[in-house]
Amino acid sequence: MRILLTNDDGIYAPGLKVLEAIARELSDDIWVVAPQEEQSGAGHSLTLSRPVRVRRHDDRRFSVSGTPTDAVMMALGVCMDGLKPDLILSGVNRGANLAEDVTYSGTVSAAMEGTLAGYTSIALSQVYAREGMGDTVPFAAAEAWGARVLRPLIDAPMPPRTLINVNFPALAPENVRGVKVVEQGFHDYGRARIVKGTDPRGYPYYWFGLGATQHTPGHATDLEAITEGFVTVTPLHLDLTHYASMAVLDEALKAV
């Protein structure tokens, strides 16, 4: 099995090393094509206003001067020299990709790009307690549970344009309660905050941050399952059409 690895934290990210170790439990045919620098929050953006450059680190390892989407496109169109992956894995992200955060996530978007190209694609993220952690993220849950969760997912029959989003809880591996297939939740949008500062020249700047997570307890989504100590598995579909609304809109436009 040929596996393509990518991420949004960059080619030197610790989580990418974790992902490679997980992938090598499944295959020895591993390719890595990742952004040259961190691209967290890049979403499904594509570089159009400047050239994208590729650096070869060895025969099957490359970095790209662009977004996670760029990395997947360059992997499939240039770096892999015509070879096709059997599986695309994105991650392991430093931090959660739960609820509507998947719309901002470069990790999930890289898997989206792989899915659009017709390949089985899975995004993986490690939740952690952010307070005081900095870049020190315990990936133990992902390391211990990664291959165990992936093996049955690889062969699961999935509809076209569907990817899988996996999150590992912020727990020691022995304390993980199992795996749950759950729907995408939604945070309280009011948790977003904008932090204002002043640079050395006296000009204001602004930094986007997140407050405490708030969600509806008892609702069976990825948010609740992860806090209960489960690895969460959520299928995401790229067809954004809300079919139930089509008849309503059609009726509303009849007079036009």
Side-chain angles (χ1 to χ4, degrees):
M1 180 169 57
R2 183 176 299 118
I3 305 177
L4 169 62
L5 308 183
T6 191
N7 70 354
D8 74 353
D9 288 328
I11 189 71
Y12 299 111
L16 186 58
K17 295 179 181 178
V18 172
L19 184 63
E20 186 167 357
I22 292 170
R24 291 198 180 280
E25 293 186 50
L26 308 172
S27 174
D28 59 1
D29 191 353
I30 306 297
W31 293 72
V32 178
V33 184
Q36 183 175 302
E37 299 177 348
E38 182 171 350
Q39 296 285 328
S40 295
H44 201 180
S45 58
L46 178 66
T47 299
L48 297 175
S49 59
R50 63 183 184 275
V52 175
R53 304 187 186 278
V54 177
R55 178 183 176 190
R56 179 191 289 267
H57 298 265
D58 61 37
D59 287 345
R60 299 184 184 182
R61 182 179 297 270
F62 304 81
S63 60
V64 173
S65 65
T67 68
T69 299
D70 296 333
V72 174
M73 293 187 71
M74 293 301 295
L76 300 177
V78 176
C79 301
M80 297 184 72
D81 197 24
L83 297 175
K84 299 181 182 300
D86 300 296
L87 174 67
I88 297 177
L89 300 178
S90 180
V92 174
N93 189 65
R94 183 188 63 197
N97 277 309
L98 301 162
E100 77 281 358
D101 287 348
V102 300
T103 64
Y104 305 108
S105 168
T107 302
V108 175
S109 293
M112 287 181 178
E113 189 62 30
T115 301
L116 286 171
Y119 301 100
T120 300
S121 302
I122 303 173
L124 303 98
S125 302
Q126 175 65 64
V127 182
Y128 72 103
R130 293 178 180 272
E131 292 78 8
M133 295 296 294
D135 286 334
T136 306
V137 178
F139 285 97
E143 290 171 330
W145 284 80
R148 181 176 174 184
V149 172
L150 285 175
R151 283 191 180 97
L153 293 179
I154 292 169
D155 296 321
M158 296 293 291
R161 294 182 292 280
T162 304
L163 63 139
I164 300 174
N165 185 37
V166 178
N167 281 268
F168 301 95
L171 295 172
E174 63 272 17
N175 294 328
V176 176
R177 296 177 61 189
V179 184
K180 270 192 177 182
V181 178
V182 288
E183 64 187 74
Q184 173 192 336
F186 287 90
H187 291 105
D188 178 355
Y189 192 77
R191 74 192 181 115
R193 59 193 177 95
I194 300 176
V195 179
K196 182 179 179 180
T198 304
D199 71 17
R201 298 178 64 190
Y203 293 100
Y205 66 85
Y206 301 89
W207 197 285
F208 292 115
L210 295 175
T213 299
Q214 300 178 29
H215 50 83
T216 306
H219 188 51
T221 74
D222 51 4
L223 292 170
E224 286 74 33
I226 205 78
T227 58
E228 292 168 1
F230 291 92
V231 177
T232 65
V233 175
T234 302
L236 302 175
H237 193 229
L238 297 185
D239 182 353
L240 301 181
T241 307
H242 188 248
Y243 290 97
S245 297
M246 292 183 70
V248 175
L249 296 179
D250 187 56
E251 184 66 27
L253 291 168
K254 280 184 176 179
V256 176

